[in-house]
Amino acid sequence: MYNLFIASLLLATTINANAQDVKIPAEAKSFIAAGFEPLDYITGDLNGDKKAHAILILKKPGEDSIFDTELFRPFIVLIRQADGKLKQAVRNDKAVMGRQSGGIFGDPYEGTQIFEKGFSLSFYGGSSWRWAYNYEFRWNTAKKNWFLAKESQSSFQAGNPEATMKNTEIDATELGEVPIDKFDREAGYGENKWKVKAPKTFFYDNPKLGSNPRKGLFIKGQYC
């Protein structure tokens, strides 16, 4: 398993290095917003219509030398029209982690994959504690949009990954209805104070329904 983590780290490094020299076809260059340059460009059938659509991810030039602020990265979905031309269908400035979010590991952007009627976004980073997130979106024909279908999380201590590894998968029934244009990679980590109404509320290591609770708990009337 340790070798698998090393391979993943090397893969992420390779992807990030290749993304610096990403090639953009002429038909997509007009979608590069002023003041940005391409980070990644991926093509494939995003909605099952057998056409070659694209995902374009942008970044600010010189990100590697900017450390005092978090720069956003536009995520753009380009859909091929009946006339054969690409058209911007989605832009989301909160979907892709910025260069400064990866800790000492560096750029957390690991890659984007397009599969049948959907796509996924992957991030990897940290320092002594490493983390990885993968967000999977699937096309909803009735609503004409891509919705978050699954979130996968992993974390481990770099010095002892096998003993400290934790994996979590959260499916759509727990995530709720989140379209790609409204998706915020940080939305699930806001700090809120909640008052316990049930007689007892337990802690869980895994948010998946049916998971086993830990011994720690809150009782009715306490805040958490």
Side-chain angles (χ1 to χ4, degrees):
M1 184 177 291
Y2 181 74
N3 291 333
L4 177 60
F5 295 137
I6 295 299
S8 297
L9 187 153
L10 292 174
L11 175 61
T13 303
T14 301
I15 290 173
N16 287 328
N18 291 339
Q20 302 303 315
D21 193 33
V22 61
K23 303 298 182 182
I24 303 295
E27 66 172 347
K29 289 183 178 180
S30 63
F31 298 101
I32 300 176
F36 288 90
E37 62 185 17
L39 171 67
D40 208 353
Y41 186 78
I42 312 96
T43 60
D45 184 358
L46 286 164
N47 58 16
D49 66 358
K50 309 302 180 184
K51 295 178 182 178
H53 311 297
I55 291 175
L56 172 64
I57 300 175
L58 305 176
K59 68 182 183 72
K60 283 284 188 179
E63 281 186 344
D64 290 346
S65 60
I66 301 174
F67 302 103
D68 58 346
T69 185
E70 180 68 24
L71 302 176
F72 67 91
R73 291 170 160 179
F75 173 90
I76 300 170
V77 178
L78 303 175
I79 295 299
R80 195 166 300 280
Q81 304 300 294
D83 61 3
K85 296 181 179 180
L86 291 173
K87 179 181 179 180
Q88 181 173 310
V90 172
R91 173 170 167 166
N92 185 331
D93 292 347
K94 298 181 179 181
V96 179
M97 287 186 179
R99 170 65 178 81
Q100 293 77 17
S101 297
I104 65 170
F105 179 76
D107 192 340
Y109 177 68
E110 189 171 354
T112 299
Q113 290 187 332
I114 292 178
F115 48 82
E116 185 178 1
K117 295 185 178 182
F119 59 90
S120 63
L121 284 166
S122 297
F123 306 97
Y124 180 95
S127 51
S128 60
W129 273 96
R130 300 294 173 87
W131 45 259
Y133 295 95
N134 185 79
Y135 302 97
E136 184 178 302
F137 295 83
R138 293 193 175 274
W139 173 251
N140 185 310
T141 303
K143 297 184 177 182
K144 304 297 183 184
N145 206 344
W146 296 266
F147 289 82
L148 184 59
K150 183 171 66 175
E151 176 182 337
S152 301
Q153 306 175 3
S154 298
S155 64
F156 64 93
Q157 210 285 328
N160 191 6
E162 295 203 23
T164 57
M165 184 69 180
K166 290 184 178 181
N167 294 302
T168 300
E169 283 193 357
I170 311 173
D171 60 29
T173 59
E174 300 169 73
L175 292 166
E177 192 172 83
V178 184
I180 179 57
D181 50 308
K182 303 297 183 182
F183 172 68
D184 184 345
R185 66 187 181 280
E186 297 183 350
Y189 305 99
E191 294 185 359
N192 296 290
K193 193 173 183 181
W194 302 91
K195 186 174 182 178
V196 178
K197 292 186 176 181
K200 294 180 181 180
T201 298
F202 290 86
F203 291 97
Y204 292 80
D205 288 325
N206 193 317
K208 193 169 183 63
L209 296 176
S211 301
N212 293 325
R214 291 159 54 185
K215 292 182 179 180
L217 58 85
F218 283 100
I219 60 174
K220 186 174 181 178
Q222 287 186 311
Y223 286 91
C224 57

